[in-house]
Amino acid sequence: MDTENGEEVFQGIAASPGISYGQIFLIKQIEIEVPSYQIDLSRKDEEVQRFEQVLLTTRQQITKIQQEIATNLSEDEARIFDAHLLVLEDQVLIEESIREMEKTGLNIEAAFYAVGQRYITAFDQIDDEYLRERASDIRDVVRRVVHNFAGRNQENIIQLLEERILVSHDISPSDSATIDHSKILGIVTDLGSKTSHAVIVARSMKIPAVVGLRDATSRLQSGDWVLIDGYEGLVIVRPSEDTLNLYGKLELEHKSFEKKLLTGAQLPSETQDGKKIKLLANIESADEAMAAQETGADGVGLFRTEFLFLGASGFPDEDEQFLAYKRVAEIFKSQPVIIRTLDLGGDKSSANLTYFPEQESNPFLGFRAIRFCLKHTDVFKSQLRAVLRASVFGNIKVMYPMISGPEELIHANALLDEAKEELRERGETFDEEMSVGSMIEIPSAAVIGDLLAKECDFFSIGTNDLIQYLIAIDRLNDRIAHLYEPTHLGVLRTIKSIIDTGHAHKIQVGVCGEMAGDPILVPLLIGLGADELSVSPSGIPAVKYLIQNMKFSETVKLAESALACHDAKGIYAQAKDFYEQHMGNANS
Ligand code: PEP
Ligand code: MG
């Protein structure tokens, strides 16, 4: 978009927060020239040998980079290269390349390159952000292998002499690993998403990033001055004096706000009149656990385990899952870690998982989560055994998603007992008293909470799904997004009833949907009686600050007044007023 003052503004995805201003360093895609010639097929064994040698060299290079990164950055970032090693060892890719050579009579690097390109195109077209990202891994490995065939090492392709904003079509993990990060002011890419590897690294290094701009590389030139706003996902080319002044002020405000929020991060999450509210983190991978702890989380309230499944080509085995759960348990030690069993389906796209049933016409109401697990007991029990085995390394609890009534809960618990028995037979130890929770995210479960409370140790309200099912609003449909109102009186009454039922049966009730991470709605949830809130790690400082700066008695009054009001907008306005009164001093 052009503006009157000569600025150009591009909107992308806000991937890593922060503001930066500087000159661009545009990375042109380095086209690789792949030698292509016919070979005498009687020499094909020599070609295969050459291939094996290059794969070995590539493996050694990647392992070396991985070790360097583990030493200089962290084990988590080094793990990014595990995906590269997997591509290198992919027998299907290797065998297909050899078959391609036999079929076409072309030299092995040309055959390998052709097969690699087919993989990249296939992954690029997948309608799943995570799997699409795997195309970058393959592209990176193919590029490295082809360079090695030519005897060229492709280390340090990007050499920055001055501080610059990097603009690139995509930034591969190898690139981001070999660039001198101290020289990077910001990152802008055509491709990418919040889960891109380069973005993961940028976030952990606090480098502002805007991704998914589609054509930034064709519209920007090396040397252009740009301002990037990683909070809103904006790239402003040739910003005017006014814009620079405005952003200068905004940056100071953001910094002082964030600093203020962090002042109480390691202090207890407790209101001024002494009510303790456990503040837990929602995580999707073991890697996120450490960051969650640094922001002051009291544990994990929701470990969405789907990531282990969405990234895999088959169901991950028990050991693989056990290691992930154990890692998180060890980070949080005696603090609780609630592991939610598999919730594939619905918004957790399963269309690309060949081992998952085909797409349904109404996936949100379909064969998902506990419904799938109670049919595929082998998959479910292997997850339960992994959770149980990890329970000796910390304070693990298990929780089932999408429970609609007591039969499912009783059935799931029976399978948990079987999993325990199987471990006993194997001589493995686990926490015999591990707590079991039920998510309350289906209206029927909310209505018969009294029956569910008898079969479990805690409730966790999943407001994301609960609201969509209560008001009949598809949570992904932006045309009706304005009707998705957490302050709808029907929602608030339902939440209150779930909490009251839980408390009447002496069990704790937490909230783990996005509502719990919205500081405007947090006082309402606390006033309604929620014992715990589980929110995304980046949301923890603001929620904790708010809790520390308000009184529980005031939130009870707010909730009472909300329950007496019948329009959602009016309730929201009351909640917003409350927020502004109590958060005001953080903004000043
Ligand atoms: C929810 O539904 O509120 C919830 C926390 O689960 P998910 O968003 O993973 O469905
Ligand atoms: Mg849910």
Side-chain angles (χ1 to χ4, degrees):
M1 167 187 17
D2 283 324
T3 54
E4 280 170 16
N5 53 15
E7 291 177 346
E8 261 184 292
V9 183
F10 301 148
Q11 175 76 61
I13 299 168
S16 175
I19 291 165
S20 67
Y21 174 60
Q23 271 186 298
I24 282 176
F25 180 88
L26 179 67
I27 302 167
K28 294 248 176 351
Q29 269 318 86
I30 302 169
E31 285 305 324
I32 25 182
E33 271 181 45
V34 188
S36 175
Y37 49 86
Q38 290 290 322
I39 56 158
D40 176 353
L41 276 177
S42 63
R43 282 184 32 228
K44 78 175 187 204
D45 288 349
E46 282 166 43
E47 285 293 282
V48 172
Q49 249 176 21
R50 213 159 58 81
F51 190 26
E52 280 166 358
Q53 185 53 48
V54 165
L55 291 177
L56 189 68
T57 310
T58 313
R59 166 165 253 290
Q60 286 161 348
Q61 271 170 6
I62 296 178
T63 314
K64 185 168 153 248
I65 296 180
Q66 199 171 33
Q67 279 158 359
E68 280 169 10
I69 293 174
T71 316
N72 300 330
L73 281 172
S74 77
E75 294 277 347
D76 281 351
E77 269 127 38
R79 222 163 275 124
I80 286 171
F81 286 87
D82 286 347
H84 286 208
L85 292 173
L86 284 179
V87 174
L88 259 191
E89 284 162 9
D90 185 343
Q91 282 310 315
V92 182
L93 175 66
I94 295 172
E95 280 159 22
E96 219 175 301
S97 303
I98 296 172
R99 270 201 305 278
E100 179 84 6
M101 169 186 79
E102 289 165 348
K103 201 171 85 195
T104 58
L106 286 175
N107 54 323
I108 188 68
E109 54 265 61
F112 170 74
Y113 186 72
V115 173
Q117 293 311 303
R118 286 207 290 269
Y119 268 54
I120 293 166
T121 312
F123 272 84
D124 260 339
Q125 285 165 354
I126 290 178
D127 188 21
D128 177 287
E129 202 179 85
Y130 183 87
L131 291 176
R132 232 180 5 251
E133 283 305 323
R134 305 288 69 78
S136 305
D137 295 329
I138 304 174
R139 196 176 286 117
D140 209 17
V141 171
V142 169
R143 193 172 63 165
R144 192 173 281 281
V145 169
V146 170
H147 275 277
N148 284 332
F149 265 119
R152 280 193 306 263
N153 192 335
Q154 60 152 34
E155 314 266 306
N156 299 326
I157 284 177
I158 304 163
Q159 281 185 332
L160 289 181
L161 301 175
E162 315 256 357
E163 290 189 332
R164 289 284 183 270
I165 289 176
L166 274 192
V167 178
S168 178
H169 186 58
D170 193 11
I171 295 187
S172 72
S174 307
D175 293 339
S176 77
T178 51
I179 311 168
D180 176 1
H181 281 92
S182 67
K183 299 258 173 19
I184 303 181
L185 295 174
I187 292 175
V188 173
T189 58
D190 291 340
L191 301 183
S193 66
K194 291 190 178 184
T195 56
S196 308
H197 293 318
V199 167
I200 296 170
V201 177
R203 245 187 263 131
S204 72
M205 308 211 65
K206 299 198 165 33
I207 297 173
V210 177
V211 303
L213 278 151
R214 295 178 183 276
D215 56 357
T217 45
S218 54
R219 294 164 71 173
L220 298 170
Q221 308 275 344
S222 266
D224 280 350
W225 286 87
V226 300
L227 185 142
I228 72 176
D229 173 352
Y231 296 101
E232 302 294 332
L234 297 176
V235 175
I236 305 175
V237 190
R238 294 176 299 280
S240 67
E241 277 298 307
D242 286 351
T243 302
L244 287 176
N245 285 336
L246 177 76
Y247 269 97
K249 282 196 202 119
L250 272 179
E251 194 174 7
L252 286 179
E253 279 170 24
H254 274 297
K255 290 228 162 92
S256 90
F257 182 60
E258 279 158 17
K259 209 164 137 199
K260 222 167 202 171
L261 293 183
L262 283 174
T263 49
Q266 300 304 330
L267 297 174
S269 168
E270 186 174 330
T271 63
Q272 289 178 340
D273 50 355
K275 171 94 174 160
K276 290 195 172 62
I277 306 290
K278 215 173 249 162
L279 194 49
L280 307 163
N282 290 350
I283 62 169
E284 294 180 11
S285 71
D287 290 351
E288 273 185 275
M290 192 68 94
Q293 196 185 44
E294 278 160 17
T295 58
D298 299 321
V300 172
L302 170 64
F303 184 171
R304 290 183 165 102
T305 56
E306 297 76 54
F307 89 96
L308 280 174
F309 291 75
L310 287 171
S313 56
F315 282 113
D317 66 20
E318 184 187 313
D319 283 348
E320 196 182 326
Q321 293 187 61
F322 160 67
L323 289 175
Y325 306 151
K326 173 173 172 268
R327 247 176 88 208
V328 182
E330 285 176 336
I331 289 172
F332 281 96
K333 302 190 175 72
S334 62
Q335 293 178 309
V337 171
I338 302 179
I339 299 181
R340 178 177 73 183
T341 58
L342 188 58
D343 184 15
L344 279 180
D347 55 321
K348 283 89 169 179
S349 158
S350 52
N352 308 306
L353 299 179
T354 47
Y355 54 87
F356 196 80
E358 63 198 49
Q359 196 69 314
E360 300 169 310
S361 57
N362 220 337
F364 273 121
L365 304 180
F367 187 55
R368 60 175 287 203
I370 199 72
R371 302 163 184 188
F372 173 84
C373 288
L374 296 181
K375 279 273 172 295
H376 293 272
T377 53
D378 47 341
V379 175
F380 189 44
K381 279 204 288 178
S382 114
Q383 180 168 38
L384 292 174
R385 285 192 304 268
V387 172
L388 283 163
R389 282 169 57 197
S391 67
V392 284
F393 295 92
N395 178 9
I396 284 188
K397 305 173 190 219
V398 73
M399 168 163 89
Y400 311 124
M402 298 286 291
I403 293 286
S404 66
E407 297 84 356
E408 282 164 346
L409 191 49
I410 292 167
H411 189 177
N413 280 337
L415 292 167
L416 180 65
D417 285 341
E418 282 181 26
K420 288 182 179 173
E421 196 46 44
E422 284 158 14
L423 289 179
R424 281 188 204 104
E425 277 164 21
R426 282 203 228 151
E428 304 243 24
T429 51
F430 56 88
D431 173 6
E432 294 274 354
E433 303 304 320
M434 184 177 75
S435 294
V436 175
S438 170
M439 283 198 72
I440 306 290
E441 51 184 345
I442 295 184
S444 60
V447 175
I448 50 171
D450 54 331
L451 300 180
L452 299 176
K454 292 182 190 144
E455 308 297 336
C456 66
D457 306 305
F458 64 93
F459 283 164
S460 183
I461 306 179
T463 52
N464 303 339
D465 279 315
L466 185 64
I467 296 172
Q468 85 162 342
Y469 296 128
L470 266 177
I471 322 185
I473 301 292
D474 177 346
R475 71 193 236 195
L476 302 182
N477 186 339
D478 56 336
R479 288 164 74 189
I480 46 171
H482 60 289
L483 300 173
Y484 186 98
E485 287 181 305
T487 51
H488 189 299
L489 191 55
V491 172
L492 297 187
R493 279 193 190 167
T494 307
I495 292 177
K496 175 153 175 42
S497 143
I498 300 168
I499 294 173
D500 289 350
T501 307
H503 288 173
H505 288 81
K506 308 225 170 340
I507 67 172
Q508 297 262 301
V509 184
V511 182
C512 65
E514 290 307 297
M515 195 174 168
D518 182 340
I520 295 182
L521 304 173
V522 161
L524 268 179
L525 293 173
I526 293 176
L528 289 172
D531 303 300
E532 298 179 358
L533 300 177
S534 190
V535 313
S536 78
S538 59
I540 288 178
V543 175
K544 192 178 255 189
Y545 184 92
L546 183 60
I547 291 174
Q548 290 164 340
N549 283 281
M550 68 189 189
K551 289 202 176 106
F552 175 58
S553 56
E554 296 168 329
T555 66
V556 172
K557 282 200 194 112
L558 172 73
E560 278 168 5
S561 149
L563 289 170
C565 176
H566 31 77
D567 83 298
K569 305 251 172 333
I571 298 175
Y572 189 81
Q574 288 183 30
K576 190 149 181 260
D577 268 359
F578 185 98
Y579 164 82
E580 278 161 6
Q581 278 165 27
H582 293 83
M583 221 38 185
N585 54 344
N587 281 310
S588 60

